[in-house]
Amino acid sequence: MHLRHGVTHDVLACWFQVDRSTITRAVGQIRPLLADRGCRVEGGLRLRTLADVIAHLGATGQTAMMDATEIRVRRPSAHRGGRSRFISGKSRINAMKSLVVTDERGRPLFCGEVRAGSVADITQARDAGLVDLLADTIGLQILADAGYQGLAARTYGQVVTPPRKRRGKHLEHLQWLMAHHEAARFAHSSARVPVEHGIAHLKNWRALADTTPDETTCPTPSEPSPDS
């Protein structure tokens, strides 16, 4: 009830006629257990790490989708060191960023590698070891947005990003080229829609919710398993 509907600890304590601290302790104990279970796929296989996800996708030949989502957190205290690291350059809020990988149908396979909001998407993916993991995989494609441009060259084209935007006055006379370019960008964006649905599913379950911007204690979020 807390993860799915956001019911507060006080309300749950009244329902179960226990102290609020009991509910807080129970939620704190269950969240890591759900995260440790990982995401279950066909055959009962559970994917707990990014390495597990890449190995599974490479073995099954599926196309994956990758994106980063921001989770708003409380503003760090005024005298805390590195306070500005949590300010997102895109949304201008205090946030933490989580890396999400889904399959072609938008089912979450991985959610983790939490970083401060100021960290770029491509930096987060590099820190997660994605380049090294893809070096041992052949024929896997991961659709990503423009924030990951540059990974294609390092992963031998396994990370697919949209064409870069074209700017310049000299391009105004090449309308046919610009139309083809924009059509390619639109097609790539449309193909990535399922990952947005997967992120929305995670946020509906409050699996990404957190109130403290502490990277050392922020739990690794994961989709609750269907059988849990």
Side-chain angles (χ1 to χ4, degrees):
M1 294 298 295
H2 173 69
L3 292 177
R4 184 64 180 88
H5 299 289
V7 179
T8 63
H9 296 186
D10 291 331
V11 173
L12 289 175
C14 292
W15 282 356
F16 292 99
Q17 298 181 357
V18 296
D19 191 76
R20 182 186 183 279
S21 61
T22 303
I23 299 296
T24 302
R25 183 170 60 253
V27 172
Q29 292 173 348
I30 289 176
R31 287 182 65 120
L33 293 177
L34 292 175
D36 185 64
R37 291 177 67 85
C39 297
R40 189 180 63 177
V41 294
E42 293 81 1
L45 177 65
R46 290 193 175 274
L47 309 176
R48 293 179 172 84
T49 65
L50 185 59
D52 294 341
V53 173
I54 298 300
H56 169 70
L57 293 172
T60 56
Q62 300 182 55
T63 298
M65 301 179 187
M66 176 176 65
D67 201 358
T69 182
E70 294 179 349
I71 309 97
R72 189 165 189 166
V73 295
R74 292 177 182 172
R75 187 177 184 182
S77 57
H79 302 290
R80 177 175 180 173
R83 185 186 187 194
S84 60
R85 292 188 305 116
F86 300 98
I87 301 178
S88 168
K90 179 172 62 176
S91 54
R92 297 296 178 183
I93 60 173
N94 291 276
M96 298 291 288
K97 181 177 294 185
S98 182
L99 179 66
V100 178
V101 179
T102 70
D103 62 8
E104 298 171 295
R105 290 182 286 176
R107 296 182 304 176
L109 301 178
F110 175 80
C111 180
E113 296 295 336
V114 182
R115 298 290 186 273
S118 62
V119 176
D121 293 355
I122 190 172
T123 302
Q124 182 186 32
R126 288 171 177 167
D127 292 345
L130 181 64
V131 176
D132 295 332
L133 294 173
L134 290 177
D136 300 326
T137 307
I138 300 176
L140 171 62
Q141 278 196 342
I142 300 179
L143 303 183
D145 61 13
Y148 297 95
Q149 285 177 341
L151 282 182
R154 299 192 59 185
T155 59
Y156 303 98
Q158 294 187 93
V159 175
V160 182
T161 57
R164 294 181 181 273
K165 286 186 176 180
R166 301 294 182 181
R167 295 184 177 89
K169 294 182 179 179
H170 63 285
L171 295 176
E172 296 177 357
H173 304 289
L174 301 176
Q175 296 297 329
W176 62 272
L177 179 60
M178 293 298 296
H180 177 76
H181 185 78
E182 291 302 320
R185 289 176 57 86
F186 180 79
H188 183 87
S189 177
S190 299
R192 289 187 57 260
V193 168
V195 71
E196 304 295 342
H197 295 167
I199 291 175
H201 176 70
L202 288 171
K203 289 190 173 182
N204 285 340
W205 273 94
R206 293 179 58 85
L208 295 176
D210 187 52
T211 56
T212 58
D214 190 348
E215 292 182 85
T216 60
T217 60
C218 184
T220 301
S222 176
E223 180 196 12
S225 305
D227 59 349
S228 60

